[in-house]
Amino acid sequence: MAQDDRPERYPFAEIEGKWQRAWEDSRQFHVTEDPARPKFYCLEMFPYPSGRIHMGHVRVYAIGDLLARYKWMRGFNVLHPMGWDAFGLPAENAAIDNGVHPAVWTYENIKNMRSQLRRMGISYDWDRELATCDPAYYRWEQLVFIRMFERGLAYKKRSSVNWCPSCQTILANEQVEAGRCWRCDSEVTTKEIEGWFFKITAYAEELLEWCDRLPGWPERVLTMQRNWIGKSEGAEFDLHVVGRPGVAIRIFTTRPDTAFGMTYAVLAPEHPQVDTLVTDAAERARVEAFRKEVARESEIERLAADRPKRGLRLSARVLNPFTGGEIPLFLADYVLMGYGTGAIMAVPGEDQRDWDFATQHRLPIIATVKRPEGWEETQAYTGDGVKINSGFLDGLPVDEAKRKAIDWLVAKKLGQSKVNYRLRDWGISRQRYWGAPIPILYCPADGMVPERDDRLPVVLPEDVQISGKGGSPLAEVAHFVNARCPKCGGPAKRETDTMDTFVESSWYFLRYCSPRYEGGMFEPKAAAYWMPVDQYIGGIEHAVLHLLYARFYTKVLRDMGMTAADEPFLALLSQGMVIKDGAKMSKSKGNVVDPDELIRRYGADTARLFSLFAAPPEKDLDWNDRGVEGASRFLNRVWRFVHAHADELRAADKTAQAGGPSDAGRAFRRVIHETIRRVTDDIEKDFHFNTAISAVMELVNALHDFERASLDGMGRAERGRLLREAVETMILLLGPVTPHITEELWGVLGHRESLFRRPWPVADPAALEREEVVIVVQVDGKVRSRVTVDVAAGERDVQDKALADEKVRPWLDGRQVAKVVVVPGRLVNVVTRA
RNA sequence: GCGAGAGUGGCGGAACUGGGAGACGCGCUGGACUUAGGAUCCAGUGGGGCAACCCGUGGGGGUUCAACUCCCCCCUCUCGCACCA
């Protein structure tokens, strides 16, 4: 393959290097707070320094840079920073595999990726670059951890957690996908272990409420967050155990109205009350056997839908307080200890799971809602209706019955209304090395004590053996573990777990506001100026991970009085994946396109142009090598045109012309200004950069047509002026997409100042005006002709002209005109009848 | 199962608020320039008839002068959640 000596490619390598240096040398995109100008904080999710950028990075950073440069041209003071999400497991795995220290590996990767990003020519303020593994960064996270600890927002507990056997660490609920580790795809098990948690559940209601106040977010992301938080409203109440005064089981239900249909009750197998309910040795043995059987199921098996529900009937019975009747009590695997109270009332008539279980175990089913006409009792009825078989609730609709049932429970002192959330506290302990140390010590005298503020950061020691054998590697580092108690000064041991790397990414956007600030996490005035992020851009895979954590963390900081921001990200753009040959790019599939190779062969501008042109940003992008050729061809065409007409363009007189403009000139100028309007709308309205680019392509096509056809009825001065206006407009509109070639061509036109210091073009309303307009003429809804009319023509005139049209008349032969619909400026539809 | 989104040429994708379906690009066909073309330029390109015309936006119904767009039913695909009481 001898592509390198292809002829007539514009010298992209040379001009891209030149402009990247020019922008950096002049620190063109360096910003400071400037209250006089409107600010725009444009942020793309920062990368993990894996070593090399991939096409997904090219896409997201091309999108971000387009917006940033566009906003610059619109007069905004644009903050556009970049940094590195630098803690994480791959660095440790590299250490295990190659014996290189995680820090060395990470900083080496950062160096490589930084130079790759530089070659893309993105308008970052590199002065603000940060890496989260820097103690100067994570010390503030440790300080906030201590503040959270003091407020009970960070706490330690022993519990059953998600455990990834391959990563040898705890995972948060959000980091388990369909029973597998989000990072390594291993099957996740459960483990009873002590770990640190952030009390995100304390913010469940607020996180949910604000989902309705983020209009700039995609609906699907908000829906995922709402579902993840999983609010459900209902009631909690007691079921008394028969023959055991004072012993009751508390259950949660969202359907208190159905309580009269309760024909049994169920406890989760691990429910702590089971031990007090079971006294007989034989039954105890049966319970143990059942629990073992349930525990043997892996997470994956538990997730498999519609598998039979296993249950064990206990000898104890409970009372339905609504009917006073005795009902049986079961242990069953379909009731989860982690939700509600771990116990339920079972209403098979109105709950499908209970219906399935009741059918399998031949338990009675009572309908408490009137079924619709023709309903067959083959499944539970969960719809609306009027209460039946329900004592004092009979005749009420479901909603009212719910309320009345709760009132009754409250009056009888049996229970009350209750809201439950599916969201669990965020488990942040990681039994790994390459993360921020948790700043807690264990003192024999004082117990669990946070490190003193003035001794922060607790620096991650460098001399550590990483074996990959499991257990926190920090536990092996004696000089780290053995420390002094901040309270009594006596010997104490340090916590050896590190924090989940999602903690670092929960506030990096705040640190960018004042990345070198030493007085705290961020400088309050800088954060007040820049926050919140106006446009955040990143992959959909973070819909409930990073994006939920960052929202939570921001609210915590707000409640500590550190920031006024309620939410970190005003608007979110979730870009789709880059796929090739129908599959996500991956080494194992062998369909990877290497950005370096692409940039070497075609240049960064072509890579960016294709990424933005091939699909709207929220959709998956189907990579296509031929499409890249097309993008490259377009830029070459632009390059050739400007150079071929350089003299004429430079000489063009920009002053007003003496004579009036020609018809052709006016028509072409309308095309220019229509393009400005379309491109601006596409960017502003819904980020449809693909159609914005196609509009510029149309302008370039029109430019070629104009160039060939002109001088018919047009003076040389008018032609030169229009060519120049068209070319300048084209360059300005294309600038944010392909900054290097446009900056270069801008210079060819004789400009000395950077393109990105020029204002974005504004469509001239006068240029958009038309004198005539083409009207489509339909007969009975089918297009039969077109007529050209004066824009000011009245409906009557338009209709007459349409009816008189020679292509229309034959269709009216032998038929009567029943009606004529005239849509001004667009269309006439002649409706006929026989 | 629940929730969200999507189905348009050979392909990626356009179509504002119900008003010309297929913009733009890729590919393909023919031509020009050429020693050559995988460079460049010109013309064409939904299907059928090769004319007048007819058909066509997953399928079926409906509303309307007019439906890719609105309503009802169904099919397929993608993503998320998944025994959450």
Side-chain angles (χ1 to χ4, degrees), chain A residues 24 57 78-79 167 172 227 234 241 264 306 318 439 480 483 486 502 523 530 547 556 587 595 600 665 693 731 768 798:
Chain A
E24 282 186 35
H57 291 124
V78 179
L79 175 57
C167 298
N227 291 345
V241 179
Y264 63 99
D306 58 294
V318 294
F480 176 81
F502 279 99
E523 211 247 304
W530 292 114
L547 290 168
V556 169
K587 274 184 207 149
R600 200 176 59 73
I693 291 166
I731 290 173
L768 294 175
V798 175

Side-chain angles (χ1 to χ4, degrees), chain A residues 600-676:
Chain A
R600 200 176 59 73
R601 271 175 64 174
Y602 296 96
D605 282 336
T606 293
R608 295 168 56 135
L609 177 64
F610 179 73
S611 298
L612 293 164
F613 176 63
E618 71 278 6
K619 287 188 67 170
D620 285 349
L621 183 147
D622 196 352
W623 195 267
N624 176 337
D625 293 338
R626 300 244 195 215
V628 179
E629 288 279 356
S632 170
R633 196 177 302 157
F634 171 72
L635 292 182
N636 276 295
R637 195 159 170 246
V638 167
W639 176 268
R640 279 196 311 271
F641 187 92
V642 175
H643 279 275
H645 299 82
D647 291 341
E648 188 179 3
L649 288 165
R650 268 196 297 264
D653 181 0
K654 277 196 277 185
T655 57
Q657 62 190 85
S662 65
D663 286 353
R666 254 201 314 275
F668 183 54
R669 190 149 185 273
R670 189 166 59 237
V671 172
I672 296 171
H673 286 263
E674 280 287 352
T675 307
I676 295 172

Side-chain angles (χ1 to χ4, degrees), chain A residues 253-288:
Chain A
T253 179
T254 53
R255 291 291 303 275
D257 64 290
T258 63
F260 283 89
M262 174 194 332
T263 56
Y264 63 99
V266 188
L267 298 175
E270 325 79 300
H271 198 286
Q273 271 182 295
V274 174
D275 294 329
T276 53
L277 293 171
V278 176
T279 45
D280 171 60
E283 185 174 29
R284 192 170 292 268
R286 282 199 299 279
V287 166
E288 281 316 309

Side-chain angles (χ1 to χ4, degrees), chain A residues 199-210 229 421 423:
Chain A
K199 203 166 187 177
I200 191 170
T201 53
Y203 287 83
E205 189 60 39
E206 199 198 331
L207 288 166
L208 182 67
E209 273 173 15
W210 274 87
I229 295 166
Y421 299 91
L423 183 69

Side-chain angles (χ1 to χ4, degrees), chain A residues 494-725:
Chain A
R494 284 196 190 278
E495 170 66 59
T496 57
D497 283 356
T498 53
M499 282 190 250
D500 184 1
T501 58
F502 279 99
V503 181
E504 284 89 65
S505 54
S506 292
W507 64 280
Y508 75 111
F509 42 89
L510 281 155
R511 186 67 184 169
Y512 279 141
C513 298
S514 51
R516 309 285 170 257
Y517 185 58
E518 294 192 358
M521 196 170 222
F522 45 86
E523 211 247 304
K525 276 200 324 225
Y529 177 79
W530 292 114
M531 285 296 290
V533 173
D534 293 279
Q535 184 64 56
Y536 199 32
I537 307 148
I540 188 71
E541 66 273 16
H542 285 293
V544 284
L545 280 158
H546 161 59
L547 290 168
L548 187 66
Y549 296 146
R551 293 184 61 212
F552 157 68
Y553 206 83
T554 301
K555 289 175 191 297
V556 169
L557 296 177
R558 177 204 59 194
D559 289 348
M560 290 178 177
M562 294 172 66
T563 172
D566 286 302
E567 288 281 339
F569 316 120
L570 223 50
L572 173 71
L573 176 54
S574 276
Q575 102 277 2
M577 289 186 306
V578 180
I579 58 174
K580 188 164 190 269
D581 311 321
K584 187 178 178 175
M585 281 188 187
S586 71
K587 274 184 207 149
S588 59
K589 294 203 182 68
N591 60 351
V592 181
V593 175
D594 176 29
D596 267 359
E597 169 70 6
L598 187 72
I599 289 171
R600 200 176 59 73
R601 271 175 64 174
Y602 296 96
D605 282 336
T606 293
R608 295 168 56 135
L609 177 64
F610 179 73
S611 298
L612 293 164
F613 176 63
E618 71 278 6
K619 287 188 67 170
D620 285 349
L621 183 147
D622 196 352
W623 195 267
N624 176 337
D625 293 338
R626 300 244 195 215
V628 179
E629 288 279 356
S632 170
R633 196 177 302 157
F634 171 72
L635 292 182
N636 276 295
R637 195 159 170 246
V638 167
W639 176 268
R640 279 196 311 271
F641 187 92
V642 175
H643 279 275
H645 299 82
D647 291 341
E648 188 179 3
L649 288 165
R650 268 196 297 264
D653 181 0
K654 277 196 277 185
T655 57
Q657 62 190 85
S662 65
D663 286 353
R666 254 201 314 275
F668 183 54
R669 190 149 185 273
R670 189 166 59 237
V671 172
I672 296 171
H673 286 263
E674 280 287 352
T675 307
I676 295 172
R677 192 188 54 75
R678 286 169 64 191
V679 171
T680 309
D681 279 2
D682 282 344
I683 295 174
E684 289 282 348
K685 213 177 57 221
D686 44 14
F687 306 125
H688 280 186
F689 314 127
N690 56 331
T691 49
I693 291 166
S694 72
V696 179
M697 287 175 169
E698 284 180 67
L699 175 61
V700 171
N701 291 342
L703 185 57
H704 278 88
D705 292 345
F706 176 78
E707 188 269 340
R708 255 177 298 157
S710 63
L711 285 181
D712 306 345
M714 186 181 304
R716 195 170 288 280
E718 185 184 2
R719 169 188 143 106
R721 206 165 30 242
L722 282 167
L723 276 183
R724 179 155 182 125
E725 186 174 3

Side-chain angles (χ1 to χ4, degrees), chain A residues 403-477:
Chain A
R403 255 170 296 166
K404 199 160 175 190
I406 293 171
D407 291 346
W408 184 85
L409 287 166
V410 171
K412 296 264 178 186
K413 296 191 169 29
L414 285 166
Q416 71 275 313
S417 66
K418 170 82 181 175
V419 175
N420 268 323
Y421 299 91
R422 218 186 63 110
L423 183 69
R424 296 297 135 76
D425 279 342
W426 174 15
I428 58 130
S429 272
R430 295 293 176 270
Q431 291 65 43
R432 303 299 315 204
Y433 165 70
W434 193 232
I438 293 173
I440 293 287
L441 294 99
Y442 302 94
C443 169
D446 297 306
M448 200 152 62
V449 188
E451 183 54 283
R452 271 169 40 185
D453 290 3
D454 62 353
R455 286 194 195 153
L456 296 177
V458 177
V459 177
L460 194 61
E462 291 201 3
D463 50 340
V464 57
Q465 284 300 312
I466 300 166
S467 63
K469 285 202 301 275
S472 297
L474 288 179
E476 311 294 320
V477 185

Side-chain angles (χ1 to χ4, degrees), chain A residues 777 779 787 796-806 808-810 812 817 819-820 828 830-831:
Chain A
V777 185
V779 178
V787 293
R796 192 72 230 175
D797 297 342
V798 175
Q799 177 175 332
D800 290 349
K801 192 157 185 187
L803 288 170
D805 187 79
E806 59 178 26
V808 172
R809 277 206 310 265
L812 306 178
V817 174
K819 177 177 174 185
V820 181
V828 175
V830 184
V831 184

